[in-house]
Amino acid sequence: MNIEHLRLFVRVAATHNISLAGKELGLSAPVASMHINKLEESIGARLIHRTTRKVSLTEEGEALLPYADEILASVDAARSTVGTGKAQATGTLRITAPASFGRMHVIPALKGFLDKHSELSVDIRLTDSMIDMIEGGFDVAIRDADLKDSTLIAKKLATDKRIICASPDYLAAYGNPTSLEDLKHHSCIKQMGFDTWSFNTPNGLQNIKLKSRVRVDHGEAVRDAALQGLGVAMCAEWLVYKQLENGNLVEVLQDYSLNDAAAIWAVYPSSRLLAPKVRAFLDYFAEYYGAPPYWEN
């Protein structure tokens, strides 16, 4: 079994396109197709359905894919280690991250990361959609939600603290809420999925049903609405820390903590051997964000 043929097969599984997978690996379409044929001959089974519109894995191809991932991870780790005594991060690291967090806290970190790992390149997809890592061919995903897929491993990179805030103009016009009871009389900016805010109190959990004239579906829009004086908002601190520093937003109800155990996670496929490029990512970004993360300082 040829390792490079196997590597091509994994990329075909991710892209559903033999020509595109071949191009990623520096192969022409005819050569890529020939390599897949040779892999199928060596395995003794058809691995890919080919139609004029789409390429998909056969049942045998689906069965081979997790083993192919494991083999390639082992080979990459071995190649990186032998002769150096230390695993080196090489190749292309494919990352997916939430759009806002990626722009604000991943892209700015890349120069230092790539300077440290000169043999590594990155391919980043920023999206707020929950995508299938395996099908998408990603090495690591940054997520701010609980892990649902038991075939993946999650490493905590940073806390994801949320706060209540408002603009100085709003507070000057409507007053500063000093209790949860006060909050019930303020206009709050709702984010879809958060129709109530839950607070920890000495008497247990208290849920506040929001009074609102503005409801949006994106965290940055919540922040921007708060900056316009449209109401009191709940925001992730990593999203508003600069506005808090310059005074364009003010934290309120600081004596009341939200019932929130959110975190920023790095998620990657389960494997007996962790690829050096993934290990490099985990180590660098955990240190870069810090404990507590820099946006909470």
Side-chain angles (χ1 to χ4, degrees), residues 38-51:
K38 289 183 177 179
L39 177 63
E40 289 177 329
E41 290 173 6
S42 68
I43 294 291
R46 181 169 292 279
L47 303 174
I48 293 173
H49 289 302
R50 300 167 174 84
T51 69

Side-chain angles (χ1 to χ4, degrees), residues 74-85:
S74 300
V75 169
D76 288 343
R79 284 176 172 172
S80 298
T81 302
V82 171
T84 67

Side-chain angles (χ1 to χ4, degrees), residues 127-265:
T127 175
D128 292 322
S129 300
M130 190 67 72
I131 63 174
D132 187 311
M133 285 190 64
I134 304 302
E135 183 176 337
F138 291 99
D139 299 298
V140 63
I142 293 181
R143 292 180 179 169
D144 56 2
D146 292 337
L147 182 62
K148 305 293 185 183
D149 190 338
S150 62
T151 67
L152 303 175
I153 297 174
K155 175 181 172 62
K156 183 177 177 179
L157 294 179
T159 54
D160 185 16
K161 181 182 176 184
R162 285 169 170 76
I163 63 165
I164 307 300
C165 59
S167 73
D169 288 345
Y170 175 88
L171 297 176
Y174 300 100
N176 191 334
T178 58
S179 70
L180 298 186
E181 194 62 31
D182 285 348
L183 186 60
K184 295 178 182 179
H185 304 291
H186 279 266
S187 179
C188 297
I189 301 164
K190 284 185 182 180
Q191 183 172 353
M192 291 180 184
F194 295 95
D195 288 333
T196 61
W197 294 346
S198 298
F199 293 85
N200 298 307
T201 74
N203 298 320
L205 195 64
Q206 184 172 345
N207 296 319
I208 304 298
K209 189 169 181 61
L210 305 179
K211 174 185 174 183
S212 175
R213 296 178 62 196
V214 178
R215 185 169 183 256
V216 298
D217 64 351
H218 196 275
E220 283 187 274
V222 172
R223 179 197 64 195
D224 294 345
L227 287 167
Q228 295 300 317
L230 293 175
V232 180
M234 178 178 70
C235 293
E237 202 164 13
W238 59 259
L239 183 64
V240 297
Y241 76 105
K242 290 184 178 179
Q243 288 74 25
L244 294 172
E245 288 175 357
N246 63 30
N248 288 332
L249 288 175
V250 177
E251 184 177 0
V252 299
L253 297 171
Q254 296 186 51
D255 294 335
Y256 297 87
S257 65
L258 286 158
N259 180 43
D260 181 22
I264 303 298
W265 302 92

